[in-house]
Amino acid sequence: MIDRSSSELQTENSSAEEVSGELELQAAAADPSPVPPVGEAATRRSAAATSRARALRLPTVAGPESPTTLEATGLSLLYIAELVLKHLYVQGNLIGVEIARNIRLPFQIVQESLRWLKDEKCIEVSSGDVIGPASYNFHLSEMGRHRAREAFEQCRYVGPAPIPLEDYVEQCRRQAVAGITCSAEALQEAFGELIIRDGLLDELGPAICSGKSIFIYGPPGNGKTMIAKGMGNFLNIYGGDIYVPYAIAAEGAVITVYDPTVHQTTDSDDLIIDAEGFLIPGLNRRAGDHPLPDSRWRRIRRPVVVTGGELTLEMLDLRYNSSSNFYTAPLHIKANGGVFLIDDFGRQIVSPRDLLNRWILPLEENIDYLSLATGKKFSVPFEQLIIFSTNLDPRELVDEAFLRRIRHKIQIGSPNRELYTEIFQLCCRQRQVPFNPDVVDYLYSTFYDCGKPARSSDPRDLLEITKPICRFRSE
């Protein structure tokens, strides 16, 4: 298994002469067989892989439907009116269509707020076309600017209208990882570019289907991180699309969830308004198609969130910005419906015991509790595939009570000689370097048969060292 992490090749027991001889042998290995060309054939293989992926891909989870009434939004008329005021305060004059696009609600709902604000003398209409109110140009009056500043003092969030917490909970349960289908064919396709030991997929498949936590452990440099990312790759490509809201409203607070650095969208951000005042993704829908999606949500691939030694307990709580007075969801909430990988478990700033104590209840009941700055608490779904990856012995990190809650333990050991040779061949092909089996014979007779364990990352690391030496020597 090839590990993309920068694991170092340990050569402390080798002399400088041995390493030099090893590198020269690799550089001089001249296999007359041609290197596979990168061109039309590779393009055909890529197209075939894409076609297979589409055939194996699960259908998109049903998304929330666009609200047709104010009550269906889960928000009050006053809340939407204040959000409209803040958008006008920040952007100046806006036509009705632009306001609807900004807060991502049907214009027929936004129009109720605009009418109320006009009656309150908070907004004025400077111009308009015969199309109707959707084309009117709205701007703030002096009273409106005063009300907008007051709204900013309460909360500086300016964006799409949030969705109610209960709607978020319902959608998360609908698109939980435990509900997907993991076939052997799709899993094999997701791991097609990786070389792994026989039987490993038979262990990974049930673990993914369970949607429960997974412990991947073993010596460094043998692909634990790559295997964990491979599971994320499977969910990302073959797991079907899910939905994530821009923000949620809970206990009077706004919590942003959608993060473009984490969530890979598969819908369009280009919205148009149909004749009935509904927002429609311009590139993905035709006017008149029903039911229409709720534009306060984004359709995304199942997310894969990776964290390592930088993880702290504070990163698992809501992040509150006192100057803006709204919150940002923690990483594991952004990972709902996907994968949350804790790499190098045991080397975090926070101790393993404290981290696991924090998650005993979520792992047991699939629910986490978050606290607001006011002290109020509320529950949120804990619906992601948690993967702990570590080089350490799990029994040294956690007690039996917690290990029992980790449903799947998968050990990744050192490769045997046959697997090691396959990995070396793959690394050579990837770098367009001719492969010579004498190199593997040399490494085993000089190092691996003398007590140094083989690592899956060794071929990659050796080639990365060898290539610049060869360029320097013009060999």
Side-chain angles (χ1 to χ4, degrees):
M1 183 64 213
I2 305 171
D3 187 354
R4 290 185 188 142
S5 64
S6 56
S7 56
E8 297 181 352
L9 179 63
Q10 297 179 351
T11 56
E12 51 275 343
N13 295 329
S14 307
S15 66
E17 290 79 8
E18 289 175 325
V19 175
S20 176
E22 171 189 17
L23 297 176
E24 289 181 3
L25 177 60
Q26 170 62 22
D31 188 344
S33 59
V35 176
V38 178
E40 184 178 349
T43 302
R44 287 197 300 269
R45 288 195 299 272
S46 177
T50 301
S51 178
R52 290 194 302 272
R54 288 174 178 169
L56 295 169
R57 184 171 169 78
L58 294 176
T60 299
V61 176
E65 296 183 11
S66 180
T68 58
T69 63
L70 177 64
E71 292 73 20
T73 67
L75 305 172
S76 67
L77 178 67
L78 178 60
Y79 185 91
I80 297 176
E82 289 182 344
L83 192 57
V84 170
L85 287 175
K86 287 188 284 186
H87 275 283
L88 287 172
Y89 188 85
V90 170
Q91 301 187 51
N93 294 359
L94 291 173
I95 63 174
V97 170
E98 292 172 334
I99 296 174
R101 285 182 184 143
N102 287 343
I103 66 176
R104 293 183 171 262
L105 286 174
F107 181 75
Q108 63 181 27
I109 295 176
V110 175
Q111 187 176 7
E112 296 182 42
S113 297
L114 292 173
R115 188 181 299 114
W116 184 82
L117 288 171
K118 190 172 183 299
D119 292 340
E120 292 290 312
K121 296 182 171 41
C122 291
I123 60 173
E124 297 173 349
V125 180
S126 58
S127 62
D129 297 330
V130 294
I131 300 176
S135 65
Y136 290 175
N137 194 341
F138 297 92
H139 64 274
L140 293 177
S141 65
E142 191 58 38
M143 172 68 74
R145 297 183 67 84
H146 176 73
R147 292 282 293 271
R149 285 192 290 267
E150 288 183 343
F152 269 113
E153 290 178 2
Q154 296 296 320
C155 177
R156 291 185 176 272
Y157 174 77
V158 181
I163 56 101
L165 176 61
E166 52 269 23
D167 290 356
Y168 175 70
V169 172
E170 180 182 350
Q171 185 65 27
C172 281
R173 301 301 185 202
R174 189 181 299 140
Q175 57 198 27
V177 176
I180 72 168
T181 300
C182 177
S183 67
E185 185 181 7
L187 197 58
Q188 181 66 54
E189 192 73 26
F191 281 79
E193 298 298 322
L194 307 179
I195 296 177
I196 55 179
R197 63 173 170 81
D198 292 338
L200 181 58
L201 294 185
D202 293 332
E203 299 178 44
L204 297 179
I208 294 174
C209 286
S210 73
K212 301 296 182 181
S213 50
I214 304 173
F215 221 125
I216 299 180
Y217 65 98
N222 288 307
K224 295 182 299 298
T225 300
M226 279 300 296
I227 289 172
K229 290 182 177 179
M231 287 189 280
N233 183 58
F234 164 77
L235 288 174
N236 186 266
I237 296 177
Y238 303 93
D241 294 343
I242 62 174
Y243 290 85
V244 62
Y246 282 98
I248 60 178
E251 299 294 339
V254 175
I255 304 163
T256 59
V257 180
Y258 170 68
D259 184 346
T261 64
V262 171
H263 301 126
Q264 181 183 357
T265 59
T266 59
D267 60 359
S268 171
D269 195 36
D270 180 25
L271 299 176
I272 62 175
I273 294 201
D274 69 0
E276 299 176 3
F278 285 98
L279 292 174
I280 304 173
L283 300 180
N284 296 7
R285 288 269 182 171
R286 299 186 307 273
D289 284 353
H290 291 285
L292 297 174
D294 189 339
S295 298
R296 295 175 294 171
W297 299 73
R298 295 303 303 267
R299 193 177 74 224
I300 63 168
R301 295 187 184 276
R302 292 185 181 269
V304 180
V305 178
V306 182
T307 183
E310 75 279 4
L311 183 64
T312 64
L313 286 181
E314 289 74 20
M315 294 172 65
L316 304 179
D317 293 327
L318 292 171
R319 192 176 68 202
Y320 176 63
N321 189 323
S322 58
S323 61
S324 59
N325 201 23
F326 66 88
Y327 300 80
T328 301
L331 286 176
H332 63 290
I333 300 302
K334 294 178 180 180
N336 267 336
V339 171
F340 188 52
L341 168 60
I342 302 177
D343 205 9
D344 283 333
F345 180 62
R347 304 188 187 278
Q348 280 72 32
I349 298 175
V350 59
S351 71
R353 183 177 298 275
D354 290 341
L355 178 61
L356 298 178
N357 285 339
R358 166 69 175 79
W359 271 350
I360 281 183
L361 183 62
L363 289 173
E364 194 80 21
E365 301 182 2
N366 291 345
I367 292 176
D368 193 17
Y369 289 89
L370 301 177
S371 299
L372 300 174
T374 59
K376 290 184 179 180
K377 286 190 175 184
F378 61 95
S379 62
V380 291
F382 192 79
E383 291 287 0
Q384 67 277 142
L385 187 66
I386 297 264
I387 303 177
F388 300 92
S389 173
T390 182
N391 300 330
L392 308 176
D393 187 339
R395 290 169 296 184
E396 298 177 359
L397 293 174
V398 295
D399 55 25
E400 289 295 328
F402 193 86
L403 279 178
R404 179 174 56 83
R405 291 176 168 85
I406 306 295
R407 299 295 178 86
H408 303 273
K409 295 94 172 170
I410 300 175
Q411 184 174 15
I412 308 298
S414 299
N416 57 29
R417 182 161 181 165
E418 180 182 0
L419 193 64
Y420 183 90
T421 302
E422 290 184 39
I423 294 173
F424 215 122
Q425 291 174 327
L426 175 62
C427 289
C428 287
R429 287 198 301 271
Q430 290 174 338
R431 292 159 180 79
Q432 299 187 9
V433 174
F435 171 75
N436 189 326
D438 292 342
V439 175
V440 176
D441 294 337
Y442 173 83
L443 291 174
Y444 268 86
S445 62
T446 307
F447 298 104
Y448 303 139
D449 291 340
C450 298
K452 175 180 172 57
R455 291 181 176 176
S456 298
S457 61
D458 286 357
R460 177 205 62 193
D461 294 340
L462 285 170
L463 289 172
E464 292 299 325
I465 296 172
T466 301
K467 289 187 69 175
I469 294 176
C470 290
R471 288 200 301 271
F472 177 72
R473 298 179 178 179
S474 298
E475 294 178 346

